[in-house]
Amino acid sequence: MKIKSSEFVISNSKVTHCPKDPIPEYAFIGRSNVGKSSLINMLTQKKSLAKTSGRPGKTQLINHFKINDNWFLVDLPGYGYARVSKKEKKTFQKYITDYFIERQQLVCAFVLIDIRHEPQKVDLEFMEWMGENAIPFCIIFTKADKLRPKSIDTHVNNYIKILLDGIWEEAPNYFITSSSKSIGREDVLNYIDAINTEFYKQNS
Ligand code: GDP
């Protein structure tokens, strides 16, 4: 898919205030500092569509961007950042869970995982919650440039094995990306494009 246009639409903390356009929507979420802003900027090829974080955890809002006038890219707050107070964390979680449960337009969430790290409890629990609530998601492994090609496979296989040893009967779709080396861009965009095509076929 070619990105012809990408524009910021609105930021808010209530799913009821999200845009009403009946177009397919893709949410991006992950732990703070996972490389979410960099990935969004790489996908859209805009240097600062999503601001890369000066201070992780700062962007505590649901951010809608309209792409090619026919789908939404949603930048969600990073989770699991220690500097956010407990109370803030609670409200944050509620509006994020509300978003996932209530947002009709959401067709797929991308859960971002730093490819270098061992599976973290917070990510595994989050994916488990997505599964329990039947919210479709894929994994995007970020920062692949930080590993040698051989260890990329080892890390990914290990991650998937841990999911399959846990609650998952089937591994989720996943993508291997690097924003600094522009790896995986086409794979992610083609995946979105295929879902969009199907969506518009069914809704025409
Ligand atoms: P966010 O907090 O999840 O939005 O993460 P950012 O996009 O702000 O990135 C966090 C840090 O990781 C920054 O220092 C980025 O430069 C770095 N980073 C992000 N993506 C990559 C990548 O693909 N490769 C490398 N080497 N560094 C990255």
Side-chain angles (χ1 to χ4, degrees):
M1 171 180 14
K2 270 214 169 103
I3 303 294
K4 296 178 205 129
S5 62
S6 44
E7 61 189 64
F8 168 72
V9 181
I10 194 171
S11 290
N12 66 76
S13 61
K14 279 214 168 81
V15 61
T16 46
H17 294 172
C18 288
K20 303 278 183 269
D21 319 31
I23 62 177
E25 179 160 315
Y26 301 83
F28 290 74
I29 191 163
R31 292 200 299 146
S32 301
N33 227 26
V34 69
K36 179 165 52 71
S37 311
S38 305
L39 180 86
I40 292 172
N41 293 339
M42 169 184 79
L43 292 176
T44 56
Q45 284 184 324
K46 279 208 174 165
K47 256 198 186 129
S48 52
L49 190 67
K51 307 255 182 305
T52 42
S53 42
R55 181 188 149 203
K58 209 173 162 191
T59 346
Q60 298 291 307
L61 292 167
I62 303 168
N63 304 292
H64 272 80
F65 299 93
K66 198 183 249 185
I67 314 292
N68 289 354
D69 272 331
N70 68 359
W71 58 281
F72 280 127
L73 182 161
V74 178
D75 181 7
L76 293 173
Y79 53 72
Y81 184 62
R83 255 196 276 173
V84 176
S85 72
K86 256 196 187 149
K87 186 164 174 265
E88 257 183 291
K89 255 188 202 160
K90 224 175 158 189
T91 18
F92 153 72
Q93 281 165 358
K94 168 109 177 78
Y95 76 79
I96 295 305
T97 49
D98 283 353
Y99 167 82
F100 280 116
I101 289 169
E102 292 171 29
R103 189 68 173 156
Q104 300 287 335
Q105 290 91 330
L106 183 77
V107 289
C108 180
F110 292 103
V111 179
L112 274 59
I113 302 288
D114 188 322
I115 198 163
R116 296 168 299 171
H117 300 157
E118 291 292 311
Q120 308 277 314
K121 199 168 168 233
V122 66
D123 294 317
L124 296 174
E125 282 176 359
F126 179 69
M127 287 188 262
E128 206 170 310
W129 180 86
M130 298 286 272
E132 282 163 9
N133 289 281
I135 294 152
F137 72 91
C138 298
I139 295 178
I140 293 188
F141 291 103
T142 62
K143 307 190 187 182
D145 60 287
K146 296 237 186 189
L147 292 180
R148 290 163 206 265
K150 254 196 195 157
S151 5
I152 291 180
D153 285 348
T154 315
H155 278 240
V156 168
N157 292 340
N158 178 46
Y159 206 100
I160 298 301
K161 184 175 179 306
I162 284 171
L163 290 178
L164 294 176
D165 286 346
I167 68 155
W168 299 96
E169 279 172 20
E170 216 180 296
N173 282 325
Y174 63 83
F175 301 91
I176 294 166
T177 69
S178 156
S179 303
S180 37
K181 293 266 160 32
S182 211
I183 295 169
R185 183 173 182 271
E186 282 307 304
D187 294 340
V188 175
L189 290 178
N190 288 343
Y191 184 79
I192 293 174
D193 199 24
I195 299 180
N196 286 348
T197 305
E198 194 53 37
F199 177 94
Y200 283 108
K201 218 196 279 171
Q202 282 180 14
N203 290 280
S204 64

